[in-house]
Amino acid sequence: MARILVADDSETILLLIRTRLEMAGHEVETACDGQEAIDAVRRDPSRPPDLLLLDAMMPRKSGIDALRELRADGVEIPALIVSAHKEGADAKGDGDLAIDGFVTKPIDFDVLFERIAELT
Amino acid sequence: MLTGLAMVGVARFLEQRQDFEDATARSYQREIAARNDLVAGRNPRIARQTIKGEALRREVLRDEISAKTRDTALLVGAGLIAGLTGAALLFSGMIASMRRPLEDLVEASERLAGGDLEARVKVGGLSETAQLGAAFNEMAEELQRRAGERDQLERMKDEFVLTASHELRSPLTSVQGFAELLMLEREQLTPKQTETVEIILDNTRHVVRLLNDLLDLARSDAGRLTIAPAPTEVAALVEEAARSLRSRTAARGQTLEAEIEPGLPRVNADRDRIRQVLVNLLTNANEYCQEGATIRVRASRAGAEVEIAVIDNGPGIPSEQLEHIFERFTRGDAGMTQRVGGTGLGLAISKSLVELHGGTIAAESTPGGGSTFSFRLPAATLSETANGAESAAEPPGLVPNPAEAERR
């Protein structure tokens, strides 16, 4: 099972995602904005997460901006962006940023589990 | 001015003529006197000379007058010509000074009508055309101002829809997510609790659908409903859509079957969007048909297109409703609507999506005899090379070389 870093500014949603992922046997670490997600990835370079699940819109630093910084640092961990709708992600993403997929809210966990299985 | 010139000319001519006639008359009087002298025998030599001299004088006078009148006529003529030329120049100048601003106005109007709200004219020329130009510019200014306001309102509306949709989705994610969590542990719930959670989930899904549809319509209105078509296998597409409906058709004891013509070409489609169309059509069939009904999805070749039809043996749609079936907020009869609770937007969005693909959508139904909703999409082989000559050479029914399709 995979180690997954989840970033969302809503504690309720973090709790929901953590519960579902842990029920599916994954190990979950959470962050409540983009900066915390970056810090969590850098904390222990010897043991990086297998997958990033980042919300596109977060105060202070969005998931897209966090991913852009991590990619610039040479971090190649697969990343899924969670967004309310496609525009939210499109508007902030750019062609060069390596994003492995989008997950729209409300989250369809069956689809999410399939994506996680593909990427880890 | 010209009349003056002509009158001066004529007066001068008459004066010259009068002088000539007076001189000629005097000459005749002198000749008659001389002839009387001759008859009377007074100074016959002088009289004869006078007679001869007067005849000569009259000849000179005649030459003189014809020369003079010719000069006058020439003068008047030249004057007239000069005057007319001047007038013509003046008029053409006036016409030109009117014509250029008018031509500018016509050109600017055409640009304005064509949507160029920056179109303005240079104000000048005669006061009337200047006024016209100023009025035109004022009108264009007002149009541009209003268009700007409208664009800004439009942007604010789009922004609002996007923000509202985003803000609503986060709590909906929680509601749906935790209700689903409860359902995962349903063995610990009482039947009453299970039913309650099911109701929460049904209604959450309905709100999500409504949100998605509203968002799509807002996108469509803003011309921002976009698709990313790629060669897509029809069988897989139909299978995905059918799979997502299976639990719901099963719940109503309905049979859902797919019928794919063998060797069907791929279609040029945005997979997610066409799946959305198919799911819309299947959801309608599922909701409007009675329990135990049969719903069939049939994919077949139709010339250069592929037709996908959703056929049911449900209650059918009266013709007066069928006419407006693809319009927004059009649904079957009110009683049915309350029961099925669709958004009334699904078919309008489906139509927009199919048309964005360069396809067509149609509905056929007979009350009591079931309904068929079908749409056609261009086959990938033909549409992709629509501008190339090779497309004509490709035999129909050829499955595209996957490597080639991917390269495209």
Side-chain angles (χ1 to χ4, degrees):
Chain A
M1 287 292 114
R3 295 189 65 231
I4 302 171
L5 173 65
V6 185
D8 199 298
D9 57 313
S10 156
E11 286 198 22
T12 322
I13 288 179
L14 279 181
L15 175 63
L16 173 71
I17 297 176
R18 175 197 280 279
T19 312
R20 291 298 303 261
L21 291 180
E22 284 178 351
M23 280 170 78
H26 298 293
E27 192 185 323
V28 178
E29 197 178 345
T30 58
C32 66
D33 65 31
Q35 191 54 51
E36 274 194 23
I38 294 173
D39 295 345
V41 172
R42 285 176 181 162
R43 200 171 299 134
D44 188 358
S46 62
R47 210 169 153 265
D50 300 314
L51 180 82
L52 306 175
L53 188 61
L54 310 171
D55 190 60
M57 281 176 156
M58 286 186 285
R60 293 178 295 280
K61 192 167 278 172
S62 75
I64 301 273
D65 289 339
L67 185 62
R68 189 174 290 121
E69 258 181 61
L70 288 170
R71 290 281 188 255
D73 262 11
V75 173
E76 285 171 4
I77 305 169
L80 291 174
I81 296 293
V82 184
S83 66
H85 40 72
K86 211 167 170 302
E87 274 100 337
D90 282 353
K92 289 177 179 60
D94 52 54
D96 296 335
L97 188 61
I99 295 172
D100 299 274
F102 290 97
V103 177
T104 51
K105 283 183 181 172
I107 300 167
D108 182 333
F109 282 94
D110 291 335
V111 173
L112 179 61
F113 292 149
E114 270 178 39
R115 301 309 310 271
I116 292 173
E118 284 164 23
L119 292 169
T120 56
Chain B
M1 189 190 93
L2 281 174
T3 345
L5 185 74
M7 276 167 67
V8 168
V10 169
R12 191 165 156 202
F13 176 78
L14 289 173
E15 195 184 292
Q16 285 168 348
R17 194 77 211 175
Q18 194 62 51
D19 287 352
F20 164 71
E21 270 162 18
D22 289 352
T24 310
R26 280 196 301 273
S27 167
Y28 275 119
Q29 278 166 8
R30 282 194 291 275
E31 190 183 325
I32 289 163
R35 284 187 188 278
N36 287 340
D37 284 351
L38 197 65
V39 173
R42 289 192 295 263
N43 299 325
R45 210 162 55 89
I46 293 166
R48 258 188 230 104
Q49 272 175 2
T50 306
I51 292 165
K52 212 183 268 173
E54 291 304 326
L56 243 162
R57 182 195 296 273
R58 286 198 304 275
E59 241 169 77
V60 171
L61 279 171
R62 260 198 302 280
D63 286 352
E64 250 179 39
I65 189 70
S66 65
K68 273 182 184 163
T69 50
R70 195 177 57 232
D71 285 354
T72 307
L74 274 174
L75 200 72
V76 170
L80 278 173
I81 288 167
L84 280 172
T85 313
L89 283 173
L90 189 77
F91 273 124
S92 70
M94 273 166 71
I95 287 167
S97 73
M98 241 155 64
R99 218 173 99 180
R100 199 162 306 119
L102 283 177
E103 277 171 357
D104 287 353
L105 260 172
V106 168
E107 197 215 351
S109 304
E110 279 167 355
R111 276 171 55 201
L112 196 68
D116 176 9
L117 296 177
E118 304 273 326
R120 296 288 184 279
V121 290
K122 229 167 80 186
V123 176
L126 299 173
S127 74
E128 286 82 0
T129 51
Q131 260 175 31
L132 201 56
F136 175 87
N137 284 350
E138 220 170 283
M139 176 188 76
E141 201 72 44
E142 182 65 13
L143 273 176
Q144 196 176 16
R145 194 181 62 75
R146 288 194 195 170
E149 274 177 13
R150 195 200 55 213
D151 286 354
Q152 203 191 339
L153 275 174
E154 201 66 38
R155 270 196 302 276
M156 280 165 69
K157 191 197 80 185
D158 289 352
E159 196 59 37
F160 172 76
V161 171
L162 283 177
T163 313
S165 153
H166 180 261
E167 294 302 322
L168 286 168
R169 263 159 215 271
S170 284
L172 273 172
T173 305
S174 297
V175 174
Q176 183 177 319
F178 285 103
E180 280 170 357
L181 259 180
L182 275 177
M183 285 305 273
L184 288 174
E185 290 160 357
R186 72 167 82 194
E187 63 275 12
Q188 292 169 40
L189 303 179
T190 65
K192 183 87 188 160
Q193 285 170 330
T194 309
E195 202 195 329
T196 310
V197 179
E198 268 168 2
I199 292 171
I200 295 173
L201 272 177
D202 273 353
N203 282 281
T204 314
R205 288 197 193 104
H206 182 66
V207 178
V208 171
R209 236 173 93 190
L210 202 56
L211 260 183
N212 288 341
D213 285 356
L214 282 172
L215 194 59
D216 276 348
L217 269 186
R219 285 185 186 122
S220 176
D221 288 349
R224 284 205 319 234
L225 192 59
T226 53
I227 54 167
T232 306
E233 290 289 349
V234 176
L237 202 59
V238 170
E239 188 40 51
E240 280 173 37
R243 201 194 313 148
S244 69
L245 253 289
R246 210 141 251 153
S247 63
R248 302 175 64 182
T249 51
R252 306 200 67 209
Q254 293 165 338
T255 313
L256 177 56
E257 41 192 51
E259 205 180 289
I260 316 285
E261 188 183 298
L264 211 54
R266 298 205 273 186
V267 289
N268 214 15
D270 183 315
R271 199 185 185 96
D272 291 342
R273 290 310 204 166
I274 293 305
R275 193 200 303 115
Q276 182 185 349
V277 172
L278 250 178
V279 168
N280 268 340
L281 300 183
L282 287 171
T283 306
N284 283 346
N286 166 245
E287 288 176 344
Y288 283 92
C289 287
Q290 68 281 13
E291 300 205 346
T294 302
I295 302 163
R296 284 193 300 140
V297 187
R298 191 190 61 205
S300 56
R301 198 180 171 97
E305 296 175 312
V306 171
E307 185 182 89
I308 303 175
V310 173
I311 306 151
D312 67 53
N313 60 356
I317 305 157
S319 60
E320 65 270 17
Q321 281 166 18
L322 196 61
E323 260 176 68
H324 305 286
I325 201 85
F326 291 108
E327 293 166 17
R328 286 171 196 194
F329 297 113
T330 301
R331 292 182 283 190
D333 68 275
M336 186 70 101
T337 299
Q338 279 179 356
R339 188 174 59 74
V340 301
T343 65
L345 298 170
L347 285 177
I349 293 163
S350 297
K351 185 171 191 278
S352 300
L353 285 173
V354 169
E355 285 173 356
L356 266 179
H357 281 81
T360 51
I361 190 163
E364 279 171 53
S365 184
T366 34
S371 308
T372 300
F373 284 84
S374 58
F375 61 95
R376 291 178 177 208
L377 295 175
T381 26
L382 295 171
S383 68
E384 276 179 319
T385 50
N387 300 322
E390 84 242 48
S391 66
E394 276 178 30
L398 188 76
V399 175
N401 175 352
E404 199 186 355
E406 261 163 40
R407 204 182 60 232
R408 289 168 181 161

